[in-house]
Amino acid sequence: MSNRAFQSCINADCAAEFPIDRVLVACPNCHGLLDVDYDWSGIRPSWETFEGRAVTKGQRNAAGGGRSTPASLDFSGVWRFRDLLPFCPDESRIVTIGEGRTNLQRATGLASKLGFTSDAGGELYLQYEGFNPSGSFKDNGMAAAFTHAAMVGAKRVACASTGNTSAALAVYGALTGVECFVFIGEGKIAYGKLSQALEYGATTLQVAGDFDACLARIRHIAEHMPEAGVYLMNSVNPFRLEGQKTIMYRILEGLDWKVPDWVIVPGGNLGNCSAFGKAFMELKALGMIDRLPRLAVIQAEGSRTLDRVYNDLGVRWSPALGAGGRACAACPKPIACPRLCLRGRFDVAAVEAEYARMDAANERAHTVATAIEINRPVNLSKALRALHAMNGVVRTVSDAEIVEHKALVGRYGFGCEPASGASVAGAAMLLKEGVIRSHETVACVLTGHVLKDPDVTVGYHTGLNMKAAAVDLSASRPTGRVSNPPVRVADDLEAILAAMEGATAQRALRE
Ligand code: F0G
């Protein structure tokens, strides 16, 4: 693998670059988002390279320590494509637990239910990311981010989560021996997922606040308190997104490397759509595809920040341009960048004004699809970039549409959790609008497993309100030999830091 990887600020007016092994949350100069970027010269991956990695027999001993073997990397649906995310100079140090062996399934029954007419030649595919080891697409990103964490020697990792991120973080942490902290909002986590975080031994802090509040806290600690030594695992971490690019490679693989007309994905923190845009821009620049699919990002009515910013306010990404346009600050001359330039600009003031309005109105995210119940999407600028590159659209669907389409996925396929239902509801909406045409090939990404939110599913099928009232999860004293109860903590920096130190001290005593 190449060691010509670096981190680069996507803000064209800053264009700062940093070494690959520096731990950063955002650009220290302008606070813009960072990309993992590569000098691709001399790297010419081809689809045949990946097809040649189909033989996966042999030891796979990376999970839980040891060095990863070529068989373990080829078994992984992320690292099978390692030439397209070549940031780790030593392949044997790559972390994998066998993630990304997910399926692109043609959904003929569902397609006709939604109104795709088969004689027009259109196809609907479902990309089941719930088949990952922890039950969601997050494992793709965790494999990459834990690899980076190992490269920089991180000992403590953390995330804010409504469920899936915490489960993924906890299983990678348990298997690699890294201490994990999960921040969950009070009453704001899917119990199926909480059970995983507890079982895998992560320290779970139940913070009196919502997801946005939890993320703000842990981000502050990771970014501004180096003495706490916390490595952040939310999708603002650009290494996460490198792993999530591979979801698109697997869709292409399932289509014989043909580009679909549409990729449809739910949008919460907007990490996936950002990763997908980067994946396709790179593939085009490498000459591996000749066109990009269109992108549809689907949000829930109760948390539609991107929809407002993109459709109501008309905010758009403008890529760094040379010759007549405004080039990136890194270009020595006002010509287009000789490298694949992923930098650009957008109307930051318009977005900030919208955030100020939301604050003044005390608007909080609210949807049955807890995975996308997010008001301050950290990857907004990268999502705008992806929408630009992929001629994208953004739509909002109601909670009722989400649960109906989730149920249809279950009736006609393997099932999914609520946010994934938004993908399919969005496909139906765009088909009705005539934006998607019935001869087109559409790939809907189902981001999580049907078992994530069983209360929503049972509620739908029985008409009962199964949602457990917000309970204090640390109110009782468990007696199991390895019980791992959550710790309840105020939304207060000092209290959170004290709880983290307490957990680390207890862990040291146990070991
Ligand atoms: N779908 C599922 C199943 C998710 O768990 C998430 C995020 C998303 C979609 C949103 O994806 O950020 O890439 O737009 N879940 C986070 C969590 C919030 O904590 O597990 P995005």
Side-chain angles (χ1 to χ4, degrees):
M1 275 190 171
S2 151
N3 54 7
R4 289 173 305 173
F6 50 97
Q7 300 181 73
S8 116
C9 176
I10 74 166
N11 170 8
D13 296 317
C14 171
E17 291 180 357
F18 307 94
I20 201 70
D21 54 4
R22 187 152 163 205
V23 179
L24 294 165
V25 173
C27 174
N29 300 350
C30 75
H31 219 67
L33 292 180
L34 296 170
D35 265 338
V36 180
D37 210 345
Y38 309 95
D39 174 358
W40 291 106
S41 52
I43 306 178
R44 277 286 164 267
S46 72
W47 298 125
E48 287 75 29
T49 316
F50 309 129
E51 288 172 10
R53 293 185 178 147
V55 179
T56 53
K57 78 180 164 73
Q59 285 191 27
R60 300 184 204 112
N61 58 355
R67 297 247 157 171
S68 58
T69 59
S72 65
L73 298 182
D74 290 358
F75 182 81
S76 162
V78 170
W79 298 114
R80 208 149 46 77
F81 298 101
R82 51 195 175 277
D83 314 66
L84 293 170
L85 48 154
F87 64 82
C88 179
D90 177 358
E91 284 196 3
S92 72
R93 301 295 303 274
I94 287 176
V95 173
T96 175
I97 64 166
E99 57 287 316
R101 293 183 65 86
T102 60
N103 208 352
L104 181 74
Q105 202 77 29
R106 189 157 66 202
T108 320
L110 180 62
S112 58
K113 191 83 194 161
L114 299 187
F116 282 86
T117 45
S118 55
D119 45 348
E123 302 274 16
L124 177 69
Y125 290 87
L126 301 177
Q127 173 68 17
Y128 280 97
E129 287 303 311
F131 293 175
N132 269 291
S134 80
S136 84
F137 76 88
K138 306 278 180 185
D139 295 355
N140 296 288
M142 287 298 169
F146 269 81
T147 297
H148 185 247
M151 282 166 61
V152 300
K155 300 274 181 296
R156 296 172 115 192
V157 301
C159 71
S161 183
T162 64
N164 281 318
T165 311
S166 66
L169 177 92
V171 71
Y172 278 86
L175 291 174
T176 57
V178 179
E179 184 177 19
C180 291
F181 294 92
V182 167
F183 285 49
I184 59 171
E186 208 144 301
K188 295 278 185 190
I189 185 157
Y191 283 106
K193 309 310 293 190
L194 175 64
S195 69
Q196 288 176 282
L198 302 180
E199 189 93 345
Y200 295 132
T203 295
T204 304
L205 300 182
Q206 184 186 7
V207 181
D210 59 10
F211 174 85
D212 292 308
C214 288
L215 183 53
R217 287 291 179 201
I218 189 58
R219 182 175 174 157
H220 176 84
I221 293 169
E223 202 168 354
H224 302 296
M225 309 186 72
E227 66 281 9
V230 171
Y231 182 99
L232 186 64
M233 284 288 182
N234 283 97
S235 61
V236 64
N237 177 332
F239 293 90
R240 277 266 316 266
L241 303 196
E242 288 305 288
Q244 288 168 217
K245 290 191 310 192
T246 65
I247 301 169
M248 294 301 104
Y249 308 151
R250 295 196 295 275
I251 287 184
L252 292 174
E253 181 182 44
L255 298 174
D256 281 328
W257 310 122
K258 286 197 200 73
V259 178
D261 296 302
W262 287 92
V263 169
I264 308 189
V265 63
N269 242 340
L270 308 178
N272 269 325
C273 57
S274 300
F276 300 170
K278 184 167 186 278
F280 285 115
M281 283 188 273
E282 289 171 345
L283 289 177
K284 178 92 184 341
L286 289 166
M288 295 175 74
I289 54 173
D290 53 12
R291 68 184 176 97
L292 277 64
R294 295 191 69 185
L295 172 70
V297 182
I298 312 300
Q299 299 212 284
E301 239 166 40
S303 60
R304 51 176 290 270
T305 305
L306 178 68
D307 184 25
R308 267 202 310 275
V309 165
Y310 193 69
N311 289 325
D312 301 357
L313 303 176
V315 175
R316 291 290 184 273
W317 178 258
S318 68
L321 288 173
R326 281 174 66 207
C328 159
C331 278
K333 293 186 236 119
I335 53 163
C337 187
R339 286 207 317 252
L340 169 59
C341 184
L342 297 171
R343 300 191 178 107
R345 307 171 173 86
F346 69 103
D347 188 347
V348 178
V351 174
E352 276 172 4
E354 172 60 10
Y355 285 178
R357 185 201 61 75
M358 286 160 67
D359 279 344
N362 196 24
E363 275 181 23
R364 292 279 168 266
H366 189 71
T367 165
V368 67
T370 49
I372 51 174
E373 193 175 55
I374 295 170
N375 251 351
R376 292 277 191 287
V378 293
N379 287 300
L380 186 86
S381 52
K382 288 184 179 175
L384 294 172
R385 179 175 74 178
L387 288 162
H388 172 86
M390 295 175 71
N391 188 16
V393 298
V394 182
R395 291 291 184 274
T396 288
V397 294
S398 68
D399 278 6
E401 289 168 295
I402 286 174
V403 290
E404 283 303 335
H405 289 87
K406 171 188 164 315
L408 286 175
V409 174
R411 181 59 61 90
Y412 290 98
F414 300 108
C416 64
E417 57 69 66
S420 312
S423 281
V424 179
M429 174 181 273
L430 289 164
L431 190 66
K432 262 198 211 96
E433 286 177 12
V435 174
I436 291 180
R437 282 161 304 158
S438 55
H439 63 271
E440 293 187 309
T441 302
V442 178
C444 286
V445 181
L446 303 182
T447 45
H449 199 277
V450 66
L451 291 176
K452 183 193 177 206
D453 274 310
D455 47 348
V456 174
T457 308
V458 175
Y460 174 84
H461 290 288
T462 60
L464 297 168
N465 181 3
M466 305 294 296
K467 199 87 199 149
V471 283
D472 176 2
L473 295 167
S474 52
S476 81
R477 239 183 243 164
T479 55
R481 270 188 293 172
V482 286
S483 295
N484 176 31
V487 181
R488 192 175 195 187
V489 60
D491 186 9
D492 170 82
L493 189 59
E494 293 307 314
I496 288 170
L497 287 168
M500 291 175 79
E501 286 316 316
T504 302
Q506 268 184 17
R507 185 179 154 105
L509 279 180
R510 278 198 308 270
E511 279 167 3

